[in-house]
Amino acid sequence: MPALDAQSLMPGTEGINFYQADPILEQLLQRYLSPDDYERARPVLLHMGAVASERMDTLAAIADRHGPVLRQYDQRGQRIDEVIFHPAYHELERIAYQDFAIAACTHREGALGWPGRVPQPVKFALAYLGMQAEAGVFCPVSMTDALARVLERYGDEALKQRFLPHLTALRLEELQQGAMFLTEKQGGSDVGQTATIARRREVSEPDQVGPEPWPQWQLWGEKWFCSNVSADLILTLARPDGAPAGTRGLGLFLVPRRLPDGRRNAYTINRLKEKLGTRSLATGEVTLEGAFAYQVGLLERGFVQMTEMINLTRIWAAIGSLAAMRRSLLEAAVHSQGRIVFGRRLCDHPLMRRQLVDLLLEVEGCAALAFETTAVLERVDRYGNEDDRRLLRILTPLCKYYIPKRGEYVTLEALEMRGGNGYVEDWVNPRLLRDAIVNAIWEGASNVIVLDVARAMAREGSHLQLFAWLQERLAALQHPELAESLDLLRTSLEHLATRIQALTALDSEAAQLPLRGLVERLAQVTIATLLLEQAATALQGASSCGPRQLLVAQLFMRRHLQPHPDGWQADDDRRPLEAFETLLQGAVRFPQPA
């Protein structure tokens, strides 16, 4: 019997282009892009798929093991607060910011050779492929993107002319990266407790820090969890003297790392955090000591304006978790296809087939929710439709709550499927798990996001817009094979509407108790509708993948929505076993032998 090589004994994903291997992403982009835009995007996505799976993956492992270091003083004892990164991290920055223009492409016309601005789904698809290799560098990318969006919406013309060209630069040497410093010791998610104070800088004209005619401010306070702590431009909240308590009294300010004359601004980086994951990323603690700042927008609307950045980075956090899920599914599929256990492939064992199908259902469902949200974001930014804005208002926290929670499950399950190797840092699984966990915390932990959904429903009636949107889409699905699934979804929507209405009769304490389950079910009903719509499109077009798409929708509903009176219906369903090859091939495209 010939000896097996190491690759056969321990299969891995080396050499697999992440985009070529992902028919799910390909189908979603064909769904949300015009034919012309898809044809423009495809070669760029193929290139990113290759770069991410090869070069970025190698660099990410190095940057994870050799994280940033804070050098606080120079050789003369002068405070410099310089963050030193491994060269691997800087090369990852060059790939993300310059080679693929991910932070700039939806703000600057002509990036990636695009006629106009790149559509949001393309930007997030590029990031999704890149984040399958490396999560840390995409936190600064996301904040740079989001800070540019805030300035576009709320900055005055002088601020925009001064800073937007640098935030959206296509060359790394001209780039100014963005960050937001919000968390304080006494107030993480409770931003209303922000204790940082802002005072107008009353000086004569010759003493101004710069030649700008804008009001000048100075900030004093401590920020406790500052990702991309060495950023060039920082968006933060502070309370002007005399302003009321709570979020209503917060102003929004832009703090440059360097003053116009090149001097360091008046804040110190106290230390870098030692984190569970995203170790390539510099996260630190900062003390503002009269730091010079520019006012952004209306002083009394600071928190409302800040939420524009938070909401966009919430979508980024969901995409980050989805990327970790996708890479985990790819690793599990390749491992189980190639690993021989008890005389047959690992994926030929019924329990492993069940486990793989469970993972692909989660990935496919969350991908449908995430990229639908990016498409709604695109419509909001391009057309400003109020119905789309209300829809985005609830889809964003649904994504942020649901996808990171499923991401924790999928990355851990996939790690276990690799056995002991999955627990060893030589393989990618531990890093995927460590990096994914933070997405449930960044931009608001799960309970905070659930309360945000409740606010969106109570204040803006966003759930009514969501229900109307889902019912409209369901009404358009006429294929006879969908009838049973449509009935189930309509019943689920009715139950949800009744449940939400019943909460209004409860006191505020009691009304909170069912919210997590309610938000989870809202996300699941939305996902099921999207999966069923994809199936209907494929069936009506006589596509060969139509029956598979319908099966995915039905299995998702059986797992998450259908009542289980005896507790065994989903577990006894033989379809994951019998249709396994079809299900897996529609989710993971394996490279053909040379």
Side-chain angles (χ1 to χ4, degrees):
M1 180 177 177
L4 295 173
D5 61 22
Q7 173 70 17
S8 299
L9 291 169
M10 299 179 184
T13 60
E14 297 89 341
I16 295 178
N17 182 304
F18 290 162
Y19 183 71
Q20 285 182 322
D22 193 347
I24 296 170
L25 178 59
E26 186 176 59
Q27 291 162 15
L28 286 169
L29 291 174
Q30 289 173 337
R31 177 183 177 86
Y32 293 119
L33 299 176
S34 70
D36 286 346
D37 280 347
Y38 176 73
E39 289 305 315
R40 288 188 195 97
R42 192 172 186 277
V44 184
L45 293 163
L46 278 168
H47 186 202
M48 172 55 96
V51 172
S53 62
E54 297 168 10
R55 187 61 182 147
M56 289 184 75
D57 207 38
T58 300
L59 294 168
I62 298 170
D64 182 71
R65 289 197 171 108
H66 303 279
V69 175
L70 176 62
R71 183 182 179 220
Q72 291 180 305
Y73 299 94
D74 68 9
Q75 66 270 30
R76 294 180 176 83
Q78 297 175 327
R79 191 75 186 241
I80 56 172
D81 285 353
E82 178 187 7
V83 178
I84 302 170
F85 294 90
H86 191 278
Y89 184 82
H90 287 309
E91 188 169 346
L92 287 164
E93 289 180 311
R94 184 171 297 277
I95 292 169
Y97 285 105
Q98 180 171 300
D99 295 352
F100 291 94
I102 296 175
C105 65
T106 55
H107 304 281
R108 181 187 283 263
E109 294 189 357
L112 301 176
W114 211 273
R117 299 186 179 193
V118 170
Q120 294 283 354
V122 175
K123 174 190 75 179
F124 280 112
L126 287 168
Y128 168 65
L129 293 169
M131 284 190 280
Q132 290 180 46
E134 155 65 9
V137 77
F138 281 96
C139 173
V141 170
S142 73
M143 290 192 292
T144 304
D145 171 38
L147 202 163
R149 190 169 189 263
V150 170
L151 286 189
E152 285 171 344
R153 288 182 166 231
Y154 301 114
D156 60 32
E157 284 305 312
L159 269 182
K160 286 192 276 193
Q161 290 175 15
R162 174 74 178 273
F163 295 113
L164 276 176
H166 294 289
L167 284 167
T168 63
L170 300 178
R171 288 175 50 81
L172 200 60
E173 294 76 13
E174 300 166 2
L175 175 73
Q176 290 187 332
Q177 294 186 29
M180 57 177 166
F181 294 178
L182 295 185
T183 304
E184 299 187 2
K185 290 180 181 179
Q186 75 290 343
S189 297
D190 187 359
V191 180
Q193 289 196 61
T194 295
T196 299
I197 60 172
R199 297 192 180 113
R200 285 189 181 273
R201 189 171 184 270
E202 301 294 345
V203 293
S204 60
E205 187 70 24
D207 293 329
Q208 283 189 301
V209 172
E212 300 87 349
W214 317 310
Q216 297 190 8
W217 293 82
Q218 288 179 283
L219 308 184
W220 285 264
E222 294 184 340
K223 300 294 181 178
W224 182 243
F225 198 97
C226 304
S227 293
N228 201 23
V229 72
S230 58
D232 304 287
L233 297 170
I234 299 138
L235 207 60
T236 193
L237 293 168
R239 197 177 309 280
D241 280 340
T247 56
R248 288 184 305 136
L250 296 175
L252 185 62
F253 300 93
L254 184 68
V255 180
R257 183 165 63 93
R258 293 280 176 186
L259 301 176
D261 61 8
R263 288 178 295 142
R264 288 178 55 249
N265 205 346
Y267 65 86
T268 57
I269 302 173
N270 303 322
R271 62 171 176 168
L272 299 185
K273 302 281 193 182
E274 294 185 16
K275 309 189 299 294
L276 172 66
T278 59
R279 293 174 179 173
S280 65
L281 168 67
T283 303
E285 301 162 15
V286 168
T287 300
L288 303 165
E289 301 169 325
F292 172 74
Y294 303 105
Q295 178 182 323
V296 178
L298 298 174
L299 197 60
E300 65 275 13
R301 298 278 293 173
F303 177 73
V304 173
Q305 296 164 167
M306 183 77 241
T307 60
E308 288 286 350
M309 185 166 185
I310 294 170
N311 282 329
L312 184 53
T313 51
R314 282 176 175 172
I315 297 174
W316 272 97
I319 294 289
S321 283
L322 179 63
M325 293 165 70
R326 173 65 203 182
R327 177 70 186 277
S328 295
L329 173 63
L330 179 63
E331 295 289 328
V334 168
H335 174 75
S336 64
Q337 288 268 320
R339 182 81 166 169
I340 304 300
V341 177
F342 302 121
R344 55 178 173 165
R345 295 183 310 166
L346 189 57
C347 67
D348 290 332
H349 294 269
L351 284 173
M352 187 58 67
R353 288 195 165 193
R354 165 77 65 189
Q355 198 172 10
L356 278 166
V357 170
D358 283 348
L359 296 194
L360 77 84
L361 290 176
E362 298 296 345
V363 172
E364 207 152 336
C366 288
L369 178 60
F371 278 93
E372 181 71 36
T373 302
T374 70
V376 176
L377 173 64
E378 173 70 7
R379 296 200 302 269
V380 167
D381 279 0
R382 286 194 185 263
Y383 309 116
N385 181 278
E386 179 60 21
D387 287 346
D388 283 331
R389 190 202 65 77
R390 290 175 66 210
L391 186 59
L392 184 65
R393 176 66 184 88
I394 194 166
L395 285 178
T396 296
L398 287 182
C399 275
K400 172 60 174 73
Y401 173 81
Y402 191 78
I403 297 176
K405 300 306 287 184
R406 303 319 296 158
E408 292 173 342
Y409 163 73
V410 169
T411 53
L412 183 56
E413 284 289 296
L415 183 152
E416 180 187 341
M417 290 167 76
R418 183 160 256 150
N421 281 346
Y423 196 68
V424 175
E425 293 282 351
D426 290 337
W427 297 82
V428 74
N429 297 88
R431 178 159 52 86
L432 291 173
L433 175 62
R434 289 189 284 103
D435 288 352
I437 289 172
V438 77
N439 288 314
I441 300 170
W442 270 344
E443 324 308 2
S446 297
N447 287 342
V448 172
I449 301 301
V450 165
L451 292 173
D452 189 48
V453 174
R455 274 193 301 275
M457 293 192 296
R459 296 179 184 178
E460 302 180 50
S462 293
H463 62 300
L464 301 177
Q465 182 64 39
L466 178 63
F467 286 159
W469 180 71
L470 292 174
Q471 288 163 352
E472 179 182 353
R473 298 180 90 127
L474 291 175
L477 306 182
Q478 302 296 330
H479 201 283
E481 291 187 56
L482 307 181
E484 184 178 346
S485 299
L486 288 170
D487 287 342
L488 172 60
L489 273 176
R490 291 190 182 105
T491 300
S492 296
L493 278 172
E494 290 171 4
H495 289 168
L496 271 172
T498 301
R499 179 72 161 159
I500 291 170
Q501 183 60 36
L503 294 184
T504 62
L506 301 177
D507 65 75
S508 59
E509 297 287 311
Q512 277 196 25
L513 292 177
L515 279 178
R516 280 182 77 124
L518 183 66
V519 169
E520 183 170 289
R521 185 55 58 92
L522 277 171
Q524 289 166 345
V525 167
T526 302
I527 288 170
T529 301
L530 295 170
L531 292 177
L532 205 59
E533 189 176 54
Q534 291 174 22
T537 300
L539 289 169
Q540 289 162 2
S543 168
S544 60
C545 68
R548 179 203 177 269
Q549 295 299 100
L550 178 58
L551 179 56
V552 167
Q554 290 171 337
L555 290 173
F556 183 89
M557 286 188 279
R558 171 61 65 88
R559 175 61 62 185
H560 291 299
L561 294 179
Q562 205 159 341
H564 299 173
D566 58 12
W568 303 109
Q569 288 185 11
D571 291 338
D572 289 344
D573 192 334
R574 290 182 59 87
R575 289 177 296 178
L577 190 64
E578 296 166 348
F580 173 75
E581 295 293 346
T582 298
L583 288 167
L584 188 63
Q585 288 169 12
V588 179
R589 186 184 292 123
F590 293 97
Q592 297 298 314

